[in-house]
Amino acid sequence: MDRYLSAWDELIRFLNSMGKAFTFVSSDVVEKVGILREFRKSSNSEHYETVEKMIKFEKENNLINRQQAPSKTVTAYGSRTLLRLHRALKFLLILIGKLAHNEDEGKVSLMGYNAYHSSPMSKYHPWIVQKAVGLAVYMLPDRSTFIKKMCQDLTEQQIADTMGVCSESMDAVYEFTNALYSKYDVMEIP
Ligand code: 1PZ
């Protein structure tokens, strides 16, 4: 769990470097990472040491289907919170894969749009959020700026290699997490 959250810290740092237009995205991610850290600091912290322990604990204690907030500072339970980040990770790994291979006619807005709609995240978003994303993708920088922000001063070849490895490692994390949600039958919690 701690390493999963530190990885998101890095993604937040990156997202913040993309400008004010993405504040509505990053503030949601910041909130979700914060909720999971609160559980790690709570008296139940040992139950949040790994993703699997968290799911088991919340399932055994009938917390898994609850939408209401456990406290004023922690507004949701862990499994449903991490599930949101999990679906977003798929979006990001698809997008990075597209950038690495320069797909979708080299248009980053199209890459963003297609990555969003082929990730599991989009079908859980209300119509209004889907529309907002349709606009937000036009504010993404062009491919070379985007890549420079991610990889700084690597050569073209190093960039392609790094992004390939990055997308593959994210995929491994995604599949591992997905297998857990599927094992405990909690993929569709509210
Ligand atoms: C490279 C970054 C490009 C970003 C392009 C646009 C991406 C679309 C993001 C959609 C934003 C949705 C805003 C908030 C939605 C929340 O309602 C939902 C559900 O949470 P709930 O309300 O149930 O508590 N939140 C999410 O689905 C998590 C969204 C995370 C989006 C992360 C995007 C990728 C991060 C990239 C980091 C570099």
Side-chain angles (χ1 to χ4, degrees), residues 74-91:
V74 179
T75 50
Y77 282 100
S79 306
R80 60 88 64 201
T81 300
L82 194 132
L83 184 57
R84 304 301 188 274
L85 296 176
H86 172 64
R87 292 172 186 148
L89 188 69
K90 184 71 170 184
F91 158 75

Side-chain angles (χ1 to χ4, degrees), residues 95-97 99-100 146-147 150-151 158-168:
L95 178 61
I96 291 176
L99 284 159
F146 203 115
I147 286 176
M150 281 202 116
C151 305
Q158 286 170 322
I159 286 169
D161 295 347
T162 307
M163 292 181 77
V165 171
C166 184
S167 179
E168 279 165 33

Side-chain angles (χ1 to χ4, degrees), residues 11 14-15 22 25 28 32 80 84 88 92 125 133 140:
L11 297 175
F14 171 69
L15 202 54
F22 296 96
V25 184
D28 188 63
K32 289 183 166 49
R80 60 88 64 201
R84 304 301 188 274
L92 192 59
H125 284 162
V133 173
L140 289 168

Side-chain angles (χ1 to χ4, degrees), residues 3-91:
R3 278 183 280 166
Y4 190 91
L5 298 177
S6 333
W8 273 103
D9 284 340
E10 292 302 311
L11 297 175
I12 290 164
R13 227 156 53 96
F14 171 69
L15 202 54
N16 285 340
S17 78
M18 312 246 306
K20 289 220 165 73
F22 296 96
T23 311
F24 83 108
V25 184
S26 85
S27 62
D28 188 63
V29 180
V30 166
E31 189 190 330
K32 289 183 166 49
V33 169
I35 288 175
L36 290 162
R37 284 226 165 86
E38 285 295 319
F39 282 114
R40 283 292 288 138
K41 285 192 286 187
S42 72
S43 53
N44 286 323
S45 67
E46 78 270 25
H47 300 298
Y48 289 84
E49 205 178 340
T50 69
V51 176
E52 183 161 21
K53 283 183 185 174
M54 169 182 77
I55 297 173
K56 269 178 95 163
F57 171 75
E58 292 191 348
K59 218 182 155 170
E60 281 162 9
N61 291 281
N62 285 321
L63 304 170
I64 206 106
N65 284 312
R66 292 213 191 157
Q67 269 185 301
Q68 71 265 47
S71 80
K72 274 210 174 75
T73 47
V74 179
T75 50
Y77 282 100
S79 306
R80 60 88 64 201
T81 300
L82 194 132
L83 184 57
R84 304 301 188 274
L85 296 176
H86 172 64
R87 292 172 186 148
L89 188 69
K90 184 71 170 184
F91 158 75

